[in-house]
Amino acid sequence: MGRRKSSNDAPINIDSDSEPEPGPESDLNFSISELYNDQLSKHRTCWMHVLAASKAQRWSLTQRETEEIKKISPCFLTCTPHRQRSMRSLKSKYANHVVARKTQKPDSKACAVPTRKLMLASRACRKKQKLDSEAFECYFENLWKSFSEDKKTSFTYLDCLWFSLYMKQTTKVKVLTWIKKKHIFSKKYVFVPIVCWNHWSLLILCHFGESVQSETQRPCMLLLDSLEMADPKRLEPNIRKFVVDIFREEGRPENLNLLKKIPLLVPKVPQQRNDEECGNFVLYFINLFMESAPPNFSMEGYPYFMKKSWFTFEGLDFFCQKLYSSAKSCP
């Protein structure tokens, strides 16, 4: 995408070039929020943040460039009007009840009933809302801590925003540097949460340390998407570029044509019940995969346990309730 450059010919950056590069002592579980420390940090890669950053750097964007940024950098603030409408309808529902109570003799217990109902309804709305990147990261970190060290030996994960940041030319190189420090080729499974087009899905890299020419144990990828009707395969071109660049950054000798043939499998997993559950599904996919993944993933056993009957919705709801209650510090 073309850009209009200023006199100093500096590229548009959503993070300043003056930011220090992660050093060897940096925490590998690097929080992207450290890069974006302003009032919109909760929506760290949304188009509003990008435009605000470009304005701060005195850059001007064309209408076409702005629209392109909106497409690849959704803003989770779009969920807010829906919640506000929900609360307005709830207030309207109890308005007549409150007025009726005011015309009667004062009764503190009676007057408190609508307030309690509104509070409970509001809490339910917050729990059902689509997870933004900050909330997802917080819940995921708490989930990861719940696994035993022995269980985590074969697994690792990438930050929930690294894939979307990789898609931006200005942060692509940094992301590849961070991934290299995760030593993913020494792990059997790598979780890559993806948020794209305002939707969460889960990419799992399997046995990337094995030879792509092996006849017994070859690398493969799993893409778990709770919204099959949105066509998960639409991400494949970007995923394959992502994988090729990871191999190149690591200095691996694999032939490009062989890398392009690494299987990308999309199992028929349970589907979400509304348009706001995708983040919860990804967290639950991670939890169940950690519990059930075979020691060595083979195409012969695919899809293993990853079927439409993989889990029950009662189990999902119980998992979310437990996760929310154990992570009280999360948004």
Side-chain angles (χ1 to χ4, degrees), residues 9 18 56 70 90 93 144 167 171-172 185 202 221 252 254 274 287:
D9 200 35
S18 62
K70 288 183 180 181
L90 284 169
K93 181 177 179 180
W144 188 257
M167 299 302 297
T171 48
K172 180 177 181 177
F185 290 94
L202 177 65
M221 299 179 285
R252 304 276 294 194
E254 283 79 1
N274 56 53
N287 182 67

Side-chain angles (χ1 to χ4, degrees), residues 115-249:
T115 303
R116 282 202 301 271
K117 288 182 178 180
L118 281 171
M119 290 176 64
L120 292 174
S122 175
R123 187 179 305 167
C125 287
R126 289 198 300 272
K127 292 301 182 186
K128 290 182 178 179
Q129 72 186 32
K130 188 175 295 185
L131 297 180
D132 61 30
S133 56
E134 183 183 18
F136 182 95
E137 183 179 7
C138 184
Y139 288 125
F140 178 77
E141 287 178 355
N142 279 274
L143 174 63
W144 188 257
K145 291 175 183 177
S146 69
F147 300 128
S148 68
E149 292 302 318
D150 182 62
K151 174 68 70 174
K152 291 187 286 189
T153 301
S154 300
F155 296 82
T156 190
Y157 63 91
L158 305 187
D159 186 283
C160 67
L161 286 178
W162 283 6
F163 185 85
S164 58
L165 285 172
Y166 164 82
M167 299 302 297
K168 300 178 185 297
Q169 199 61 36
T170 53
T171 48
K172 180 177 181 177
V173 175
K174 279 187 176 182
V175 171
L176 292 172
T177 301
W178 297 334
I179 294 176
K180 187 175 182 179
K181 293 180 180 181
K182 296 288 286 188
H183 306 293
I184 67 172
F185 290 94
S186 65
K187 302 294 183 178
K188 291 183 178 180
Y189 302 107
V190 182
F191 294 122
V192 186
I194 295 176
V195 56
C196 193
W197 297 301
N198 210 13
H199 175 64
W200 289 98
S201 56
L202 177 65
L203 176 66
I204 305 177
L205 310 179
C206 306
H207 303 298
F208 265 40
E210 303 294 335
S211 171
V212 296
Q213 294 179 298
S214 173
E215 295 182 0
T216 57
Q217 187 65 70
R218 292 189 303 159
C220 68
M221 299 179 285
L222 302 170
L223 182 58
L224 308 185
D225 197 321
S226 60
L227 194 62
E228 187 179 327
M229 61 182 296
D231 184 20
K233 281 282 190 175
R234 73 198 186 283
L235 287 170
E236 182 170 4
N238 292 328
I239 288 175
R240 293 204 174 276
K241 291 178 183 177
F242 183 60
V243 168
V244 168
D245 281 341
I246 289 175
F247 272 80
R248 290 291 175 264
E249 180 68 23

Side-chain angles (χ1 to χ4, degrees), residues 80-94:
T80 304
H82 173 74
R83 296 197 297 274
Q84 289 177 339
R85 287 196 298 271
S86 299
M87 288 307 300
R88 283 198 297 268
S89 63
L90 284 169
K91 291 177 181 179
S92 175
K93 181 177 179 180
Y94 295 107

